[in-house]
Amino acid sequence: MAPLARVAAYKVYWKMGRFGSDILAGMEQAILDRVDVLSLSLGSGSVPYYRDTIAIGAFAAMEKGISVSCSTGNSGLTKSTLTNVAPWIMTVGAGTLDRDFPAYATLGNGQKFTGVLLYSGREMG
């Protein structure tokens, strides 16, 4: 965790779809804003790097010292379903876990909520 971190969000998806030019524009603005980390949860199929909008923008960010993290865009267990595989991108995939970590919260008015929590330290009150 970074307690002093700030989050900047850039809109690159629209009702009519997404366009490579918008993705690059968002990444370029993040670079100009001097972000420290770029995290993208989007992908667009497996294509050569010179046609991969995210790889191109991520390379520009990497050249400026910005770490780039992307989702794999996993579409299944077949060949070429992972995206964002350029070596200058940290690619993160989803997984499954065969356990549950229930957590319970009770509000001052007695209302109870059930959720999930991985924190195992002291109670936070």
Side-chain angles (χ1 to χ4, degrees), residues 35-47:
V35 301
D36 295 311
V37 177
L38 250 175
S39 177
L40 293 87
S41 295
L42 47 100
S44 60
S46 185
V47 296

Side-chain angles (χ1 to χ4, degrees), residues 9-15 17-27 40 42:
Y10 303 86
K11 183 170 178 64
V12 298
Y13 270 68
W14 307 95
K15 285 184 181 180
R18 68 163 187 221
F19 303 96
S21 57
D22 291 328
I23 293 170
L24 277 176
M27 294 176 83
L40 293 87
L42 47 100

Side-chain angles (χ1 to χ4, degrees), residues 79-101:
K79 183 179 175 183
S80 300
T81 61
L82 298 181
T83 61
N84 301 320
V85 294
W88 50 88
I89 298 175
M90 180 177 66
T91 304
V92 181
T96 58
L97 191 61
D98 63 351
R99 290 169 257 179
D100 194 16
F101 301 93

Side-chain angles (χ1 to χ4, degrees), residues 109-125:
N109 64 4
Q111 194 173 7
K112 296 181 180 191
F113 294 91
T114 302
V116 177
L117 181 70
L118 293 177
Y119 177 77
S120 61
R122 294 185 350 200
E123 282 190 27
M124 293 184 273

